[in-house]
Amino acid sequence: NAGVTQTPKFRVLKTGQSMTLLCAQDMNHEYMYWYRQDPGMGLRLIHYSVGEGTTAKGEVPDGYNVSRLKKQNFLLGLESAAPSQTSVYFCASSYGPSGANVLTFGAGSRLTVL
Amino acid sequence: GENVEQHPSTLSVQEGDSAVIKCTYSDSASNYFPWYKQELGKGPQLIIDIRSNVGEKKDQRIAVTLNKTAKHFSLHITETQPEDSAVYFCAVNKLTFGKGTLLTVNP
């Protein structure tokens, strides 16, 4: 049981390039989330999904797009990367929306934009 | 939206001492308060959580207390060990996290 798997683990981009981060979960969770983690800023929610085919904006959605075409996958895209998007990105999933459903996090993807 | 403040940002204790981290929140309707531990190079992992109908919860050396009236909740770690050294995050519901506390336990 792999839990939440993020690929790639590391990536270096030049300003203006595009890329996609993939998150895959094998727990049949309905909800999936993308967070970014910056020094001194904690974890900030970028986008989330409450089920296959749905997406919603979080606290810091600008510059990112997401898709949830399959229940087990949640993709985070950067269409035109900027240095401000240098960060560590974490994907998480949970069974449902209520407080009883714990977040399970991936190991993170470190992105550097030059 | 919800606003979560976490203090202190860094905490250094001697092995065997207790550590306390506190978070305050703004939305009185919030009802779920988890704490996560993040070790270097890894994703956060839940260590304990509490729901709004409970005032305190314990799990071995870890406890969480909730004061709904004052809108704050705290993580208590007793008999700290070097392996407790990590960054700890509080969260409210699942969407809003505190900025984290770097706990260092000195042998």
Side-chain angles (χ1 to χ4, degrees), chain A residues 33 35 37 40-43 45 48 90 94 96-103 105-107, chain B residues 31-32 36 38 41-46 49 51 87 89 93-100:
Chain A
Y33 314 79
Y35 293 87
Q37 184 175 31
M41 298 297 292
L43 289 153
L45 183 66
Y48 63 102
F90 286 98
S94 68
S98 76
N101 296 293
V102 173
L103 281 176
F105 281 87
Chain B
N31 58 12
Y32 177 60
Y36 291 84
Q38 184 179 27
K42 297 183 179 180
Q45 279 197 308
L46 180 79
D49 57 10
R51 287 155 183 78
V87 178
F89 291 98
N93 301 326
K94 285 197 291 289
L95 302 183
T96 308
F97 282 72
K99 293 184 178 180

Side-chain angles (χ1 to χ4, degrees), chain B residues 25-80:
Chain B
Y25 61 98
S26 59
D27 186 353
S28 57
S30 296
N31 58 12
Y32 177 60
F33 308 93
W35 284 92
Y36 291 84
K37 176 183 181 182
Q38 184 179 27
E39 296 177 341
L40 193 63
K42 297 183 179 180
Q45 279 197 308
L46 180 79
I47 54 171
I48 196 167
D49 57 10
I50 193 167
R51 287 155 183 78
S52 59
N53 59 346
V54 176
E56 182 176 5
K57 183 178 178 181
K58 289 184 179 179
D59 183 3
Q60 300 182 328
R61 296 186 297 107
I62 294 172
V64 56
T65 58
L66 171 65
N67 183 325
K68 286 188 63 180
T69 303
K71 291 187 282 188
H72 65 73
F73 57 110
S74 298
L75 176 69
H76 304 256
I77 305 175
T78 59
E79 301 174 18
T80 53

